[in-house]
Amino acid sequence: MFSLSTTVALFSVLTVAFGQSGPWEQCGGQGWTGPTTCQSGWTCTYSNPYYSQCLQGSNPTTTSGGSGPVQTGVLATAPTTPPSTAVGKLPALGWNSWNAYRCDISESKVMLAANAFISLGLKDAGYEYVNIDDCWSQKSRDSNTGRILPDFSKFPNGINGVASKVHALGLKIGIYSDAGTQTCAGYPGSLNREKLDAQTWSDWGIDYLKYDNCFVPGNWSDASTPPNNDWYNSNSAIRYRYMTAALSTVSRVMQYSICIWGNAHVWEWGGRVGHSWRMSGDSSPTWSYLTSIINLNAGRLSSTKFYAHNDMDMMEIGNGALTIQEQRTHFAAWIFMKSPILLGTDLTKLSTTQLNIIKNKELLAFHQDTTVGDPARPFTAYSGMPSTSPPEYYSGTSSLGTHVFIINTSGSTATKQFTFSNVPGLGTSGSFRLHDMWTGQDVSGTFSASSSFSVSVASHDTVAYRIIKV
């Protein structure tokens, strides 16, 4: 007999083949270019103008949505509390349950991931957050207290029980909710219940909140541009600002992840409200997703700094049919753009090669640098360089020096090159050595500022170098 997770995985393969979205997957919304129908037994259910999702059985009531009226009078009283600076200086490293298990989540699966952090050396590499996504709660709140209740069939010891076990391993735990009336899978949302829910999570020992964007009442949507074109004062931002304020009132410090899918110009205000913010819809284990999110984020990198990170969504390493080269690029791009890295697979099934990718010490050191918070940015690597989408050449600095990252976006092996004097910050004189961050070995030879370096890069692969001045 198939388990739910096995059945969902099988349906996902079949629905991809027939051009349909699988269980709980996105099936519509502004800018959505994927399937717009769901497998048999699942209905494409409207949530808001930006998101429709495949839900099963008796679907939650949705709002009529569209460009509803603005919330009159809310702006004058909206909180302006900034996010905590006691956490979130560096982009998060951890794991999230959604990509691996969807709604088939349980205490045993959370603890499987937490224990894998220890046995696979991920904790030693810096990974710390073990995050529970949607479907962890009961469908109704406690009738007396109004609090969200865990689904005790999935979490027999409650969320506080699993939190205690995760903390005993020296790790941190995250939870999921929604800045709407319901979560994307139809469980209780936290809109208008922010203080109560923040206190509940604090009582349970929660360290991280992923806050989604489904089932938003029409009067909380943005009819047009906000007052003075300031998106910090949009209805969308204000919904998330209420949770920022609520989190500031509880004793437990939580990292705050704004899951708003790149809507409402979030990169303009996200750093004033949370520690990271999603830049797009849900990830998928495809090369097309990787290139699209890299390209999108390449134009928004000025928003990323200490305590503020563009979120390119959860890792797909170990999922789908990504080649090893594509998985290297997946990891490297999240690294050099300083996106949060939340692994999203059954960690016990990762190969040695995949583990070596996600535990690479030198790449993680760039990502977790406590001296330099800026990401790498596109640069013109040599005279006459053609433009590509996404950009292929990036440079950035760390406490160890200057770095160059090169993606081969073509479908075949290609020679890539850069001139040292073109790398920002190196200048037009001096001599340099080149260090391969993947292998931990120096490249043979010494280079002058006017020298060009060429390397053969496999299709969809990424090379990473640190430049050492000699």
Side-chain angles (χ1 to χ4, degrees), residues 73-209:
V74 169
L75 177 58
T77 59
T80 57
T81 311
S84 171
T85 56
V87 69
K89 177 179 179 178
L90 304 176
L93 286 174
W95 175 87
N96 178 285
S97 63
W98 184 255
N99 287 353
Y101 302 116
R102 296 295 195 262
C103 276
D104 189 19
I105 187 60
S106 65
E107 177 178 325
S108 62
K109 290 186 171 71
V110 173
M111 292 311 303
L112 180 70
N115 285 308
F117 271 36
I118 308 301
S119 63
L120 299 177
L122 292 167
K123 179 188 176 185
D124 291 340
Y127 292 86
E128 60 178 342
Y129 288 101
V130 182
N131 293 348
I132 304 168
D133 210 281
D134 207 348
C135 312
W136 59 267
S137 74
Q138 297 183 29
K139 285 294 184 76
S140 299
R141 290 174 175 267
D142 185 287
S143 59
N144 294 319
T145 65
R147 288 197 172 204
I148 295 179
L149 297 168
D151 183 336
F152 289 106
S153 65
K154 298 177 179 178
F155 295 92
N157 297 300
I159 301 299
N160 58 327
V162 72
S164 295
K165 293 180 181 180
V166 169
H167 291 151
L169 295 174
L171 301 170
K172 297 178 180 178
I173 189 168
I175 204 71
Y176 166 98
S177 191
D178 193 285
T181 58
Q182 298 177 87
T183 72
C184 294
Y187 294 79
S190 295
L191 184 64
N192 300 322
R193 302 286 191 109
E194 293 88 357
K195 288 185 178 179
L196 177 62
D197 291 351
Q199 186 61 59
T200 299
W201 300 324
S202 178
D203 293 344
W204 289 347
I206 295 299
D207 305 295
Y208 184 109
L209 171 64

Side-chain angles (χ1 to χ4, degrees), residues 244-309:
T244 312
L247 293 174
S248 73
T249 66
V250 300
S251 60
R252 190 98 189 163
V253 176
M254 299 179 217
Q255 186 158 172
Y256 184 23
S257 170
I258 299 170
C259 187
I260 197 172
W261 321 323
N263 297 338
H265 293 222
V266 63
W267 55 90
E268 295 179 6
W269 53 267
R272 299 170 66 183
V273 178
H275 300 105
S276 64
W277 47 90
R278 277 273 294 279
M279 294 296 289
S280 72
D282 288 357
S283 64
S284 65
T286 61
W287 179 244
S288 61
Y289 176 79
L290 298 184
T291 54
S292 65
I293 188 60
I294 293 169
N295 189 56
L296 172 68
N297 203 36
R300 306 293 185 196
L301 291 172
S302 61
S303 302
T304 291
K305 55 187 176 182
F306 286 140
Y307 301 103
H309 301 98

Side-chain angles (χ1 to χ4, degrees), residues 227-424:
N228 300 316
N229 203 31
D230 181 0
W231 285 92
Y232 177 73
N233 290 322
S234 66
N235 281 335
S236 294
I238 290 171
R239 280 188 293 117
Y240 285 89
R241 285 162 56 182
Y242 274 109
M243 183 55 77
T244 312
L247 293 174
S248 73
T249 66
V250 300
S251 60
R252 190 98 189 163
V253 176
M254 299 179 217
Q255 186 158 172
Y256 184 23
S257 170
I258 299 170
C259 187
I260 197 172
W261 321 323
N263 297 338
H265 293 222
V266 63
W267 55 90
E268 295 179 6
W269 53 267
R272 299 170 66 183
V273 178
H275 300 105
S276 64
W277 47 90
R278 277 273 294 279
M279 294 296 289
S280 72
D282 288 357
S283 64
S284 65
T286 61
W287 179 244
S288 61
Y289 176 79
L290 298 184
T291 54
S292 65
I293 188 60
I294 293 169
N295 189 56
L296 172 68
N297 203 36
R300 306 293 185 196
L301 291 172
S302 61
S303 302
T304 291
K305 55 187 176 182
F306 286 140
Y307 301 103
H309 301 98
N310 292 347
D311 183 357
M312 299 160 73
D313 202 12
M314 296 168 289
M315 288 269 107
E316 295 284 4
I317 290 174
N319 301 330
L322 293 171
T323 67
I324 286 298
Q325 291 74 27
E326 289 167 349
Q327 291 175 74
R328 280 163 51 100
T329 292
H330 187 0
F331 187 70
W334 269 238
I335 286 285
F336 68 69
M337 289 184 165
K338 298 201 172 180
S339 168
I341 293 178
L342 296 174
L343 306 172
T345 195
D346 180 345
L347 300 176
T348 65
K349 296 181 179 179
L350 291 173
S351 68
T352 300
T353 300
Q354 291 168 325
L355 286 169
N356 287 340
I357 291 172
I358 63 176
K359 292 197 297 180
N360 182 282
K361 292 181 179 180
E362 297 194 25
L363 290 170
L364 286 168
F366 182 90
H367 187 258
Q368 296 289 296
D369 196 298
T370 59
T371 302
V372 180
D374 291 345
R377 291 182 170 86
F379 77 106
T380 302
Y382 58 92
S383 178
M385 185 187 82
S387 62
T388 58
S389 180
E392 293 186 320
Y393 292 84
Y394 300 80
S395 70
T397 60
S398 75
S399 56
L400 296 177
T402 300
H403 302 256
V404 168
F405 306 88
I406 309 170
I407 303 172
N408 176 13
T409 60
S410 71
S412 58
T413 298
T415 298
K416 301 298 178 183
Q417 63 174 307
F418 67 89
T419 302
F420 283 81
S421 59
N422 278 41
V423 178

Side-chain angles (χ1 to χ4, degrees), residues 30-46:
Q30 292 181 17
W32 173 249
T33 59
T36 56
T37 59
C38 306
Q39 68 173 58
S40 177
W42 297 75
T43 302
C44 189
T45 304
Y46 174 91

